[in-house]
Short mmCIF file of all heavy atoms in Angstrom, two decimals:
data_model
loop_
_atom_site.label_atom_id
_atom_site.label_comp_id
_atom_site.label_asym_id
_atom_site.label_seq_id
_atom_site.Cartn_x
_atom_site.Cartn_y
_atom_site.Cartn_z
N THR S 132 28.84 47.01 -0.89
CA THR S 132 29.58 45.84 -1.42
C THR S 132 28.59 44.73 -1.79
O THR S 132 28.84 44.01 -2.77
CB THR S 132 30.62 45.34 -0.41
OG1 THR S 132 29.96 45.08 0.85
CG2 THR S 132 31.75 46.32 -0.24
N GLU S 133 27.53 44.56 -1.04
CA GLU S 133 26.54 43.50 -1.40
C GLU S 133 25.88 43.84 -2.73
O GLU S 133 25.71 42.98 -3.59
CB GLU S 133 25.48 43.35 -0.32
CG GLU S 133 24.47 42.29 -0.75
CD GLU S 133 23.61 41.75 0.40
OE1 GLU S 133 23.91 41.97 1.56
OE2 GLU S 133 22.60 41.10 0.04
N LEU S 134 25.49 45.08 -2.91
CA LEU S 134 24.89 45.49 -4.19
C LEU S 134 25.90 45.30 -5.34
O LEU S 134 25.52 44.78 -6.40
CB LEU S 134 24.42 46.95 -4.12
CG LEU S 134 23.77 47.51 -5.36
CD1 LEU S 134 22.57 46.67 -5.85
CD2 LEU S 134 23.36 48.97 -5.14
N TYR S 135 27.13 45.70 -5.13
CA TYR S 135 28.15 45.53 -6.17
C TYR S 135 28.30 44.04 -6.51
O TYR S 135 28.35 43.66 -7.71
CB TYR S 135 29.50 46.06 -5.72
CG TYR S 135 29.54 47.56 -5.48
CD1 TYR S 135 30.47 48.10 -4.57
CD2 TYR S 135 28.69 48.46 -6.12
CE1 TYR S 135 30.51 49.48 -4.33
CE2 TYR S 135 28.74 49.81 -5.87
CZ TYR S 135 29.65 50.33 -4.99
OH TYR S 135 29.72 51.68 -4.75
N ASP S 136 28.41 43.20 -5.50
CA ASP S 136 28.59 41.75 -5.73
C ASP S 136 27.42 41.16 -6.54
O ASP S 136 27.60 40.40 -7.48
CB ASP S 136 28.73 40.99 -4.42
CG ASP S 136 30.04 41.23 -3.71
OD1 ASP S 136 30.98 41.73 -4.35
OD2 ASP S 136 30.12 40.91 -2.51
N ILE S 137 26.19 41.50 -6.13
CA ILE S 137 25.02 41.02 -6.83
C ILE S 137 25.02 41.41 -8.29
O ILE S 137 24.83 40.59 -9.16
CB ILE S 137 23.73 41.53 -6.14
CG1 ILE S 137 23.55 40.84 -4.78
CG2 ILE S 137 22.51 41.27 -7.02
CD1 ILE S 137 22.46 41.44 -3.90
N CYS S 138 25.32 42.68 -8.54
CA CYS S 138 25.28 43.18 -9.91
C CYS S 138 26.42 42.66 -10.79
O CYS S 138 26.23 42.45 -11.98
CB CYS S 138 25.26 44.70 -9.92
SG CYS S 138 23.72 45.36 -9.26
N MET S 139 27.57 42.45 -10.19
CA MET S 139 28.71 41.93 -10.99
C MET S 139 28.50 40.47 -11.32
O MET S 139 29.01 40.00 -12.33
CB MET S 139 30.01 42.13 -10.22
CG MET S 139 30.45 43.59 -10.21
SD MET S 139 32.12 43.88 -9.62
CE MET S 139 32.02 43.34 -7.95
N GLU S 140 27.79 39.72 -10.48
CA GLU S 140 27.52 38.29 -10.76
C GLU S 140 26.28 38.04 -11.59
O GLU S 140 26.08 36.96 -12.09
CB GLU S 140 27.44 37.54 -9.44
CG GLU S 140 28.76 37.50 -8.70
CD GLU S 140 28.66 36.78 -7.37
OE1 GLU S 140 27.61 36.10 -7.10
OE2 GLU S 140 29.59 36.92 -6.56
N ALA S 141 25.43 39.06 -11.76
CA ALA S 141 24.18 38.88 -12.48
C ALA S 141 24.44 38.75 -13.98
O ALA S 141 25.38 39.33 -14.53
CB ALA S 141 23.27 40.08 -12.22
N ASP S 142 23.59 37.98 -14.61
CA ASP S 142 23.61 37.89 -16.07
C ASP S 142 22.17 37.89 -16.58
O ASP S 142 21.25 38.13 -15.80
CB ASP S 142 24.38 36.61 -16.53
CG ASP S 142 23.77 35.32 -15.99
OD1 ASP S 142 22.59 35.30 -15.62
OD2 ASP S 142 24.49 34.31 -15.98
N GLN S 143 21.98 37.63 -17.86
CA GLN S 143 20.65 37.72 -18.44
C GLN S 143 19.72 36.61 -17.94
O GLN S 143 18.53 36.64 -18.19
CB GLN S 143 20.69 37.70 -19.97
CG GLN S 143 21.21 36.46 -20.59
CD GLN S 143 22.73 36.42 -20.69
OE1 GLN S 143 23.43 37.28 -20.17
NE2 GLN S 143 23.24 35.44 -21.37
N GLU S 144 20.23 35.67 -17.20
CA GLU S 144 19.44 34.57 -16.63
C GLU S 144 19.19 34.79 -15.14
O GLU S 144 18.84 33.86 -14.43
CB GLU S 144 20.14 33.23 -16.86
CG GLU S 144 20.22 32.87 -18.32
CD GLU S 144 18.90 32.56 -18.97
OE1 GLU S 144 18.03 31.98 -18.30
OE2 GLU S 144 18.68 32.94 -20.14
N THR S 145 19.42 36.01 -14.65
CA THR S 145 19.33 36.29 -13.19
C THR S 145 18.14 37.18 -12.91
O THR S 145 17.91 38.15 -13.61
CB THR S 145 20.60 37.00 -12.72
OG1 THR S 145 21.75 36.18 -13.00
CG2 THR S 145 20.57 37.27 -11.20
N THR S 146 17.42 36.79 -11.87
CA THR S 146 16.39 37.66 -11.29
C THR S 146 16.92 38.18 -9.97
O THR S 146 17.30 37.38 -9.09
CB THR S 146 15.08 36.86 -11.03
OG1 THR S 146 14.63 36.30 -12.27
CG2 THR S 146 14.01 37.78 -10.42
N VAL S 147 16.99 39.50 -9.82
CA VAL S 147 17.40 40.12 -8.57
C VAL S 147 16.12 40.61 -7.88
O VAL S 147 15.41 41.44 -8.42
CB VAL S 147 18.36 41.27 -8.80
CG1 VAL S 147 18.73 41.95 -7.47
CG2 VAL S 147 19.63 40.81 -9.51
N PHE S 148 15.84 40.04 -6.68
CA PHE S 148 14.64 40.37 -5.95
C PHE S 148 15.02 41.13 -4.67
O PHE S 148 15.75 40.61 -3.84
CB PHE S 148 13.82 39.14 -5.60
CG PHE S 148 12.65 39.41 -4.72
CD1 PHE S 148 11.68 40.35 -5.08
CD2 PHE S 148 12.50 38.76 -3.50
CE1 PHE S 148 10.58 40.58 -4.25
CE2 PHE S 148 11.39 39.00 -2.68
CZ PHE S 148 10.43 39.93 -3.06
N VAL S 149 14.62 42.41 -4.58
CA VAL S 149 14.91 43.25 -3.42
C VAL S 149 13.63 43.45 -2.64
O VAL S 149 12.77 44.20 -3.05
CB VAL S 149 15.53 44.60 -3.81
CG1 VAL S 149 15.84 45.42 -2.61
CG2 VAL S 149 16.77 44.42 -4.72
N ASP S 150 13.49 42.75 -1.53
CA ASP S 150 12.33 42.87 -0.67
C ASP S 150 12.60 44.01 0.29
O ASP S 150 13.71 44.39 0.53
CB ASP S 150 12.11 41.58 0.08
CG ASP S 150 10.68 41.43 0.64
OD1 ASP S 150 9.85 42.32 0.36
OD2 ASP S 150 10.40 40.41 1.28
N GLU S 151 11.52 44.57 0.88
CA GLU S 151 11.65 45.66 1.82
C GLU S 151 12.47 46.81 1.20
O GLU S 151 13.36 47.40 1.84
CB GLU S 151 12.27 45.20 3.14
CG GLU S 151 11.55 44.04 3.80
CD GLU S 151 10.22 44.39 4.40
OE1 GLU S 151 9.97 45.58 4.67
OE2 GLU S 151 9.42 43.46 4.58
N THR S 152 12.17 47.15 -0.04
CA THR S 152 12.94 48.15 -0.76
C THR S 152 12.98 49.50 -0.04
O THR S 152 13.94 50.22 -0.14
CB THR S 152 12.35 48.33 -2.18
OG1 THR S 152 12.38 47.07 -2.83
CG2 THR S 152 13.14 49.32 -2.99
N GLN S 153 11.96 49.80 0.71
CA GLN S 153 11.89 51.05 1.45
C GLN S 153 13.05 51.22 2.45
O GLN S 153 13.35 52.31 2.89
CB GLN S 153 10.54 51.27 2.15
CG GLN S 153 10.30 50.41 3.37
CD GLN S 153 9.76 49.01 3.08
OE1 GLN S 153 9.63 48.63 1.92
NE2 GLN S 153 9.47 48.25 4.12
N GLY S 154 13.71 50.14 2.79
CA GLY S 154 14.85 50.17 3.73
C GLY S 154 16.15 50.63 3.10
O GLY S 154 17.15 50.83 3.79
N MET S 155 16.17 50.82 1.77
CA MET S 155 17.41 51.28 1.12
C MET S 155 17.64 52.76 1.36
O MET S 155 16.70 53.56 1.34
CB MET S 155 17.32 51.09 -0.40
CG MET S 155 17.54 49.69 -0.87
SD MET S 155 17.72 49.59 -2.67
CE MET S 155 16.66 50.81 -3.33
N GLY S 156 18.89 53.11 1.58
CA GLY S 156 19.27 54.50 1.76
C GLY S 156 19.51 55.15 0.41
O GLY S 156 19.32 54.56 -0.68
N SER S 157 20.01 56.38 0.45
CA SER S 157 20.20 57.15 -0.81
C SER S 157 21.36 56.62 -1.62
O SER S 157 21.31 56.68 -2.84
CB SER S 157 20.40 58.62 -0.49
OG SER S 157 21.55 58.80 0.32
N ARG S 158 22.40 56.09 -0.98
CA ARG S 158 23.55 55.63 -1.76
C ARG S 158 23.20 54.41 -2.61
O ARG S 158 23.50 54.43 -3.83
CB ARG S 158 24.73 55.33 -0.82
CG ARG S 158 25.29 56.64 -0.24
CD ARG S 158 26.41 56.44 0.78
NE ARG S 158 27.55 55.89 0.10
CZ ARG S 158 28.46 55.09 0.71
NH1 ARG S 158 28.33 54.81 1.97
NH2 ARG S 158 29.49 54.67 0.04
N PRO S 159 22.63 53.33 -2.07
CA PRO S 159 22.28 52.23 -2.99
C PRO S 159 21.19 52.63 -4.00
O PRO S 159 21.19 52.15 -5.14
CB PRO S 159 21.76 51.14 -2.06
CG PRO S 159 21.45 51.80 -0.77
CD PRO S 159 22.34 53.00 -0.69
N THR S 160 20.30 53.55 -3.63
CA THR S 160 19.33 54.03 -4.56
C THR S 160 19.99 54.69 -5.77
O THR S 160 19.64 54.46 -6.93
CB THR S 160 18.32 55.00 -3.88
OG1 THR S 160 17.64 54.29 -2.86
CG2 THR S 160 17.33 55.55 -4.87
N HIS S 161 21.00 55.54 -5.48
CA HIS S 161 21.72 56.22 -6.55
C HIS S 161 22.42 55.20 -7.45
O HIS S 161 22.41 55.36 -8.70
CB HIS S 161 22.76 57.20 -5.95
CG HIS S 161 23.57 57.94 -6.95
ND1 HIS S 161 23.03 58.95 -7.72
CD2 HIS S 161 24.85 57.75 -7.35
CE1 HIS S 161 23.98 59.35 -8.56
NE2 HIS S 161 25.09 58.66 -8.36
N VAL S 162 23.04 54.18 -6.87
CA VAL S 162 23.71 53.15 -7.66
C VAL S 162 22.71 52.45 -8.57
O VAL S 162 22.92 52.22 -9.74
CB VAL S 162 24.46 52.15 -6.76
CG1 VAL S 162 24.96 50.95 -7.55
CG2 VAL S 162 25.60 52.85 -6.02
N LEU S 163 21.53 52.10 -7.98
CA LEU S 163 20.51 51.40 -8.75
C LEU S 163 19.95 52.29 -9.87
O LEU S 163 19.64 51.79 -10.96
CB LEU S 163 19.38 50.93 -7.87
CG LEU S 163 19.68 49.66 -7.12
CD1 LEU S 163 18.68 49.43 -6.00
CD2 LEU S 163 19.70 48.45 -8.08
N LEU S 164 19.81 53.58 -9.65
CA LEU S 164 19.37 54.49 -10.67
C LEU S 164 20.27 54.47 -11.89
O LEU S 164 19.80 54.40 -13.03
CB LEU S 164 19.25 55.93 -10.15
CG LEU S 164 18.11 56.21 -9.18
CD1 LEU S 164 18.24 57.59 -8.55
CD2 LEU S 164 16.76 56.01 -9.85
N LYS S 165 21.57 54.45 -11.66
CA LYS S 165 22.52 54.38 -12.77
C LYS S 165 22.42 53.04 -13.49
O LYS S 165 22.47 52.99 -14.72
CB LYS S 165 23.95 54.62 -12.24
CG LYS S 165 24.96 54.73 -13.38
CD LYS S 165 26.23 55.43 -12.92
CE LYS S 165 27.17 55.60 -14.05
NZ LYS S 165 27.21 56.93 -14.60
N ILE S 166 22.25 51.97 -12.73
CA ILE S 166 22.12 50.65 -13.34
C ILE S 166 20.84 50.61 -14.21
O ILE S 166 20.89 50.14 -15.34
CB ILE S 166 22.08 49.55 -12.23
CG1 ILE S 166 23.46 49.43 -11.58
CG2 ILE S 166 21.66 48.23 -12.84
CD1 ILE S 166 23.46 48.60 -10.33
N LEU S 167 19.72 51.04 -13.65
CA LEU S 167 18.46 50.98 -14.36
C LEU S 167 18.39 51.94 -15.56
O LEU S 167 17.78 51.63 -16.56
CB LEU S 167 17.29 51.22 -13.42
CG LEU S 167 17.13 50.21 -12.29
CD1 LEU S 167 16.00 50.62 -11.36
CD2 LEU S 167 16.94 48.82 -12.81
N SER S 168 19.03 53.10 -15.43
CA SER S 168 19.00 54.08 -16.53
C SER S 168 20.01 53.84 -17.62
O SER S 168 19.72 53.99 -18.80
CB SER S 168 19.22 55.48 -15.94
OG SER S 168 18.22 55.82 -15.06
N GLU S 169 21.23 53.46 -17.19
CA GLU S 169 22.34 53.37 -18.15
C GLU S 169 22.92 51.96 -18.31
O GLU S 169 23.74 51.73 -19.19
CB GLU S 169 23.48 54.31 -17.72
CG GLU S 169 23.04 55.75 -17.60
CD GLU S 169 24.14 56.64 -16.98
OE1 GLU S 169 25.32 56.24 -17.03
OE2 GLU S 169 23.79 57.72 -16.48
N GLY S 170 22.50 51.05 -17.44
CA GLY S 170 23.04 49.68 -17.52
C GLY S 170 24.48 49.60 -17.08
O GLY S 170 25.21 48.69 -17.49
N LYS S 171 24.89 50.56 -16.23
CA LYS S 171 26.30 50.61 -15.76
C LYS S 171 26.37 50.62 -14.26
O LYS S 171 25.54 51.26 -13.59
CB LYS S 171 26.99 51.84 -16.32
CG LYS S 171 27.10 51.88 -17.80
CD LYS S 171 27.70 53.17 -18.26
CE LYS S 171 27.73 53.27 -19.77
NZ LYS S 171 28.15 54.59 -20.22
N LEU S 172 27.37 49.94 -13.75
CA LEU S 172 27.67 49.95 -12.34
C LEU S 172 28.98 50.73 -12.14
O LEU S 172 29.99 50.38 -12.73
CB LEU S 172 27.82 48.52 -11.82
CG LEU S 172 28.25 48.30 -10.38
CD1 LEU S 172 27.22 48.88 -9.42
CD2 LEU S 172 28.48 46.83 -10.11
N SER S 173 28.94 51.77 -11.34
CA SER S 173 30.14 52.56 -11.06
C SER S 173 30.60 52.26 -9.66
O SER S 173 29.90 52.46 -8.67
CB SER S 173 29.83 54.05 -11.19
OG SER S 173 29.51 54.38 -12.52
N ILE S 174 31.84 51.74 -9.56
CA ILE S 174 32.43 51.36 -8.28
C ILE S 174 33.55 52.32 -7.96
O ILE S 174 34.46 52.50 -8.80
CB ILE S 174 32.93 49.92 -8.32
CG1 ILE S 174 31.79 48.97 -8.66
CG2 ILE S 174 33.59 49.53 -7.00
CD1 ILE S 174 32.21 47.54 -8.86
N PRO S 175 33.53 52.95 -6.77
CA PRO S 175 34.61 53.87 -6.42
C PRO S 175 35.97 53.20 -6.41
O PRO S 175 36.11 52.06 -6.03
CB PRO S 175 34.23 54.33 -5.02
CG PRO S 175 32.81 54.01 -4.87
CD PRO S 175 32.53 52.84 -5.74
N LYS S 176 36.95 53.93 -6.86
CA LYS S 176 38.33 53.44 -6.91
C LYS S 176 39.13 54.23 -5.90
O LYS S 176 39.12 55.46 -5.94
CB LYS S 176 38.82 53.69 -8.35
CG LYS S 176 40.21 53.22 -8.65
CD LYS S 176 40.48 53.77 -10.03
CE LYS S 176 41.38 53.17 -10.93
NZ LYS S 176 41.63 53.75 -12.16
N GLY S 177 39.76 53.55 -4.99
CA GLY S 177 40.57 54.24 -3.99
C GLY S 177 39.75 54.78 -2.85
O GLY S 177 38.51 54.71 -2.86
N LYS S 178 40.41 55.36 -1.88
CA LYS S 178 39.70 55.86 -0.69
C LYS S 178 38.93 57.12 -0.94
O LYS S 178 37.89 57.38 -0.31
CB LYS S 178 40.69 56.08 0.45
CG LYS S 178 41.27 54.78 0.97
CD LYS S 178 42.15 55.00 2.16
CE LYS S 178 42.70 53.66 2.63
NZ LYS S 178 43.51 53.79 3.80
N SER S 179 39.37 57.97 -1.84
CA SER S 179 38.69 59.22 -2.06
C SER S 179 37.37 59.04 -2.82
O SER S 179 36.44 59.80 -2.61
CB SER S 179 39.55 60.16 -2.91
OG SER S 179 39.66 59.71 -4.24
N GLY S 180 37.26 57.98 -3.63
CA GLY S 180 36.05 57.72 -4.37
C GLY S 180 35.82 58.64 -5.54
O GLY S 180 34.76 58.62 -6.16
N ARG S 181 36.82 59.52 -5.84
CA ARG S 181 36.64 60.47 -6.95
C ARG S 181 36.69 59.77 -8.31
O ARG S 181 36.06 60.20 -9.25
CB ARG S 181 37.67 61.58 -6.87
CG ARG S 181 37.41 62.51 -5.71
CD ARG S 181 38.32 63.69 -5.74
NE ARG S 181 38.35 64.33 -4.43
CZ ARG S 181 39.39 64.54 -3.73
NH1 ARG S 181 40.60 64.25 -4.19
NH2 ARG S 181 39.33 65.09 -2.54
N LYS S 182 37.51 58.74 -8.39
CA LYS S 182 37.63 57.98 -9.62
C LYS S 182 36.80 56.70 -9.43
O LYS S 182 36.65 56.18 -8.33
CB LYS S 182 39.07 57.63 -9.90
CG LYS S 182 39.94 58.85 -10.20
CD LYS S 182 41.32 58.44 -10.54
CE LYS S 182 42.16 59.68 -10.81
NZ LYS S 182 43.53 59.30 -11.17
N THR S 183 36.24 56.22 -10.56
CA THR S 183 35.44 55.03 -10.49
C THR S 183 35.78 54.04 -11.60
O THR S 183 36.28 54.43 -12.67
CB THR S 183 33.92 55.36 -10.60
OG1 THR S 183 33.69 56.00 -11.87
CG2 THR S 183 33.45 56.23 -9.45
N TYR S 184 35.49 52.77 -11.36
CA TYR S 184 35.47 51.74 -12.38
C TYR S 184 34.04 51.69 -12.87
O TYR S 184 33.11 51.70 -12.06
CB TYR S 184 35.79 50.37 -11.79
CG TYR S 184 37.20 50.19 -11.25
CD1 TYR S 184 37.41 50.10 -9.89
CD2 TYR S 184 38.27 50.03 -12.15
CE1 TYR S 184 38.70 49.92 -9.40
CE2 TYR S 184 39.54 49.86 -11.64
CZ TYR S 184 39.75 49.79 -10.26
OH TYR S 184 41.00 49.59 -9.78
N THR S 185 33.84 51.65 -14.13
CA THR S 185 32.50 51.50 -14.66
C THR S 185 32.40 50.14 -15.36
O THR S 185 33.18 49.84 -16.25
CB THR S 185 32.17 52.66 -15.67
OG1 THR S 185 32.32 53.88 -15.01
CG2 THR S 185 30.77 52.50 -16.22
#
Side-chain angles (χ1 to χ4, degrees):
T132 53
E133 178 163 346
L134 179 56
Y135 296 153
D136 289 344
I137 289 169
C138 292
M139 287 190 297
E140 293 177 14
D142 60 21
Q143 65 274 9
E144 296 292 323
T145 302
T146 301
V147 177
F148 175 55
V149 182
D150 201 2
E151 307 287 340
T152 303
Q153 73 275 5
M155 281 190 327
S157 61
R158 292 177 66 208
T160 298
H161 179 73
V162 171
L163 280 166
L164 288 171
K165 187 159 183 103
I166 291 168
L167 298 176
S168 298
E169 301 173 21
K171 297 176 184 173
L172 174 64
S173 295
I174 301 174
K176 182 188 207 182
K178 291 184 181 184
S179 71
R181 289 188 198 124
K182 295 182 180 180
T183 60
Y184 294 107
T185 301

